[in-house]
Amino acid sequence: MREIAASTISEQVAEMCQKANIYLGEDVFDALKKSLKTEESPTGKEVLKQLIENVEIAKNEQIPICQDTGFAVFFVEWGQDAHLTGGTLEEAIHAGVKKGYTEGYLRKSIVTDPLYERKNTGDNTPAVIYTDLVPGDKVKIAFAPKGGGSENMSSVKMLKPSDGEAGVIDFVVNHVKAAGPNPCPPIVVGVGIGGTFEKVAMLAKKALFRPIGQSNPEKRFADLEKKILEKVNDLGVGPQGFGGRTFALAVHIETFPAHIASMPAAVNINCHACRHLEITI
Amino acid sequence: MEPKRIKAPLSDEDVLALKAGDNVLIDGVIYTARDAAHKKLVELMEKGEELPIDLKGQFIYYVGPTPAKPGQAIGSAGPTTSGRMDAYTPQMLEKGMKGCIGKGLRSQTVKDALVKYKGVYLAAVGGAGALLSKRIKKSEVVAYPELGAEAIHRLEVEGFPATVINDAYGNDLYAEGAKEYAR
């Protein structure tokens, strides 16, 4: 049994929170630069140039890419031959978030109860944590600071099996069309298909963690990703909704088996600051 | 097209010279307010009490910046989603606000109010918080410090870039722009 100290998890998480908010991943940055070559609208090009400059300023001057440094979302794959010492996993992650957001001058955007007091917790905790137990003794932690503006433009729909591929396409395309400029395009569209009501939403979120440019491993779903991306960009919404060819940088689909009666689908949108970071301990 | 240089606060004539689709660079003083601050301001208006800031001619920027590091005027400071302020915007315009800066769609009620009170809605590039922070030269909290990132700040800006979305004539860049590039 391999031992991992809770303090190690906290330290690594604190560092991830700061890094993810300041350095945009190369996958997203490359996609932005590529879209500058294909964008037809002059205003759209201007926006993309500002976004590229923004990423460089953030990196050079150590300023968060976006003021919305997000809800801290984690997907943890815990090797079952690893033993955590000195605390629980949740405590360790929360301690890391608190340290990272405080010491990194990141915005604290979480309020206690969602309806009445809405009092800021002051340290951006709690985080949202999903944990899978996996074989081995390694621990993989994937982190994404998820902004509220794009998160608000999300949806789950319980489609019928007879709705088929066309039903999924209609749902996704109509949904992002309605979201329009709100989620800070160019967007990344996370799509979940299958599972249950809550599982499908999690799939859509997980899809946003996949590096841009990496398609679904199954050809039919990879083709569907391409087809939806084309339809989304054909809406003409463009960067920031000012009109143009680059509404989305990518569409990522994640799937899960479904009940014979069900075909749930979910859309979780991410802005162009599609921040995600993964480490293995 | 070269961006238009405009000076804040704005007069009626300044507003009427702006058209949907114009790119502008703003110099001068603007104020920040978002969800919680708007709620407080409109509650005061409804009670007939004095506001902590005079809205006459002012730009309101919908932003909740990250905390400034020592030596910085402000942290990352990009626009937040404007639609959440729709419920309050007509009253803000009635009280003298001339412009608001955010990102994303506005309701028809807000668009009508912009025409009625001669106001303008601009979008700054959402997510470009690091870039926009460099155009903010000074920042001080002038009301509701207890709201933290949502407090009302007075900002001094130089060359702050934005695009006119809804003008005082009822035009809407979001509708027009997409039409032009749709296939």
Side-chain angles (χ1 to χ4, degrees):
Chain A
M1 186 71 81
R2 181 177 167 229
E3 292 205 336
I4 298 175
S7 58
T8 304
I9 303 281
S10 301
E11 285 300 322
Q12 298 273 1
V13 163
E15 207 182 303
M16 285 175 99
C17 292
Q18 300 192 39
K19 272 193 179 163
N21 274 299
I22 291 172
Y23 305 99
L24 189 65
E26 284 298 323
D27 60 325
V28 191
F29 197 39
D30 286 346
L32 282 175
K33 285 189 282 193
K34 235 192 236 169
S35 65
L36 188 57
K37 292 186 190 132
T38 51
E39 180 54 59
E40 293 162 15
S41 142
T43 312
K45 268 188 196 290
E46 268 316 302
V47 169
L48 293 168
K49 276 185 205 156
Q50 278 194 36
L51 293 180
I52 290 163
E53 195 189 338
N54 183 61
V55 171
E56 280 161 354
I57 292 173
K59 182 173 72 180
N60 296 338
E61 306 204 18
Q62 300 282 292
I63 301 169
I65 299 162
C66 175
Q67 77 289 343
D68 189 347
T69 50
F71 215 132
V73 180
F74 293 88
F75 280 91
V76 180
E77 288 180 16
W78 191 277
Q80 59 186 11
D81 297 328
H83 176 223
L84 183 69
T85 61
T88 69
L89 179 62
E90 288 216 348
E91 284 166 0
I93 291 179
H94 289 148
V97 168
K98 181 177 178 172
K99 184 175 157 69
Y101 274 73
T102 309
E103 292 179 0
Y105 292 87
L106 304 178
R107 199 179 81 186
K108 289 81 182 171
S109 309
I110 308 304
V111 292
T112 49
D113 89 82
L115 183 55
Y116 298 111
E117 278 177 60
R118 293 187 67 86
K119 191 175 172 317
N120 201 301
T121 63
D123 57 15
N124 221 53
T125 66
V128 172
I129 307 165
Y130 300 103
T131 316
D132 278 328
L133 212 52
V134 299
D137 63 0
K138 295 270 192 290
V139 173
K140 204 159 90 180
I141 303 175
F143 164 67
K146 186 65 172 77
S150 64
E151 188 72 0
N152 287 347
M153 301 292 113
S154 303
S155 182
V156 172
K157 191 163 185 188
M158 305 308 286
L159 295 166
K160 294 189 289 293
S162 65
D163 290 330
E165 189 196 79
V168 173
I169 294 174
D170 274 0
F171 163 59
V172 177
V173 174
N174 290 334
H175 178 75
V176 297
K177 185 182 181 185
N182 288 12
C184 294
I187 55 174
V188 176
V189 185
V191 179
I193 312 171
T196 50
F197 171 73
E198 82 292 354
K199 177 78 177 179
V200 78
M202 205 176 83
L203 292 173
K205 169 75 26 86
K206 206 170 182 182
L208 297 176
F209 280 67
R210 196 199 297 159
I212 290 183
Q214 191 184 99
S215 36
N216 187 295
E218 204 194 307
K219 188 175 180 303
R220 284 176 305 174
F221 289 110
D223 289 345
L224 184 57
E225 287 175 344
K226 268 192 221 143
K227 203 186 272 185
I228 296 177
L229 179 62
E230 205 167 293
K231 282 186 184 289
V232 165
N233 281 331
D234 280 350
L235 293 170
V237 173
Q240 296 293 314
F242 298 163
R245 304 295 310 153
T246 323
F247 182 16
L249 298 173
V251 174
H252 291 169
I253 298 173
E254 291 286 323
T255 65
F256 197 79
H259 187 278
I260 48 173
S262 310
M263 191 175 69
V267 179
N268 193 199
I269 298 179
N270 211 108
C271 56
H272 55 82
C274 189
R275 299 156 287 186
H276 46 88
L277 202 58
E278 192 179 288
I279 58 157
T280 302
I281 299 172
Chain B
M1 202 171 59
E2 275 298 295
K4 285 185 184 173
R5 206 93 199 185
I6 59 173
K7 202 160 165 40
L10 296 176
S11 67
D12 275 5
E13 291 68 40
D14 295 333
V15 170
L16 292 171
L18 294 171
K19 296 271 165 60
D22 285 351
N23 290 317
V24 303
L25 292 171
I26 307 168
D27 299 315
V29 171
I30 63 179
Y31 288 89
T32 75
R34 44 175 288 158
D35 308 59
H38 271 76
K39 188 165 185 269
K40 279 179 181 270
L41 289 174
V42 168
E43 274 168 7
L44 286 178
M45 288 178 205
E46 280 166 0
K47 281 191 230 156
E49 287 174 24
E50 203 173 319
L51 303 183
I53 53 167
D54 182 1
L55 288 176
K56 207 154 287 166
Q58 299 300 342
F59 259 122
I60 299 290
Y61 180 28
Y62 306 145
V63 57
T66 60
K69 283 185 195 170
Q72 282 181 331
I74 195 165
S76 195
T80 196
T81 312
S82 309
R84 294 198 313 272
M85 266 51 79
D86 280 356
Y88 310 113
T89 301
Q91 278 155 289
M92 298 285 285
L93 287 161
E94 196 183 344
K95 272 279 175 192
M97 178 180 81
K98 279 286 149 201
C100 39
I101 310 165
K103 52 115 177 167
L105 302 161
R106 306 310 305 259
S107 69
Q108 192 56 49
T109 313
V110 168
K111 292 184 222 172
D112 293 344
L114 290 169
V115 175
K116 181 175 174 188
Y117 298 110
K118 294 192 182 73
V120 67
Y121 167 54
L122 289 79
V125 171
L131 181 140
L132 292 168
S133 75
K134 307 298 291 175
R135 313 293 172 92
I136 299 168
K137 302 298 167 189
K138 208 177 149 195
S139 162
E140 55 173 329
V141 173
V142 290
Y144 310 136
E146 70 279 10
L147 295 181
E150 293 203 71
I152 297 183
H153 295 68
R154 178 183 182 276
L155 306 181
E156 288 179 20
V157 297
E158 258 176 51
F160 188 91
T163 300
V164 180
I165 303 294
N166 297 113
D167 58 27
Y169 305 97
N171 298 312
D172 185 349
L173 176 68
Y174 287 145
E176 298 307 315
K179 232 184 257 169
E180 198 175 326
Y181 290 94
R183 277 184 187 164

